[in-house]
Amino acid sequence: MEKTKHFLQLPNSESELISQLTFSQPGLYESFSLRGIIVDRVEPGLVSCTFKVPPRLTDRTGNLASGAIANLVDEVGSAVVQIEGLPMNVSVDMSISLLGFAKLGDELEIESRVLGQRGSYYGTIVLVRNKVTGELIAEGRHSLFGRHNSKI
């Protein structure tokens, strides 16, 4: 175990450089999974989006894949606590209840709210609903941690 820790550990100079990296352009993963999402409303502690289920995110039965739902919970749950100019928070825990199905072409409403904050630890809830029927497709709880240096 100690050999593995030693092998994976970066020298301090490299560790500092890596901690200062920022990514302003979405990568392939984000482009693939979030393409088509529309942000409808942003308020302190609230992000509301709409998303039409595309063919690339459906499973073999034509439903929105559970992994795609998990990704939406992760991304929209993170967005509600994101502070512009600071690094993204790290997901600590996610719990997702899959309560219904979304079919190819269904329009979804995704709403994320902050449940609370204690220090650098945030809790959010994400609700995924069918926009036409109001049916709850999924409910996700997302915990995040972010350690940000003061700019004072």
Side-chain angles (χ1 to χ4, degrees), residues 57-134:
L57 299 179
T58 57
D59 60 18
R60 63 178 166 240
T61 63
N63 295 321
L64 181 62
S66 56
I69 293 171
N71 184 64
L72 289 170
V73 169
D74 184 26
E75 295 291 340
V76 181
S78 297
V80 76
V81 297
Q82 177 60 32
I83 300 169
E84 190 175 346
L86 293 179
M88 290 291 290
N89 293 307
V90 177
S91 296
V92 176
D93 181 57
M94 276 196 303
S95 172
I96 303 168
S97 297
L98 301 173
L99 305 167
F101 297 100
K103 293 283 189 193
L104 174 64
D106 283 354
E107 192 168 1
L108 305 178
E109 181 179 61
I110 306 153
E111 183 176 278
S112 179
R113 293 184 179 274
V114 175
L115 292 174
Q117 174 188 0
R118 182 161 297 194
S120 297
Y121 187 81
Y122 297 87
T124 67
I125 185 167
V126 180
L127 300 175
V128 180
R129 294 183 187 279
N130 182 306
K131 193 167 184 177
V132 174
T133 66

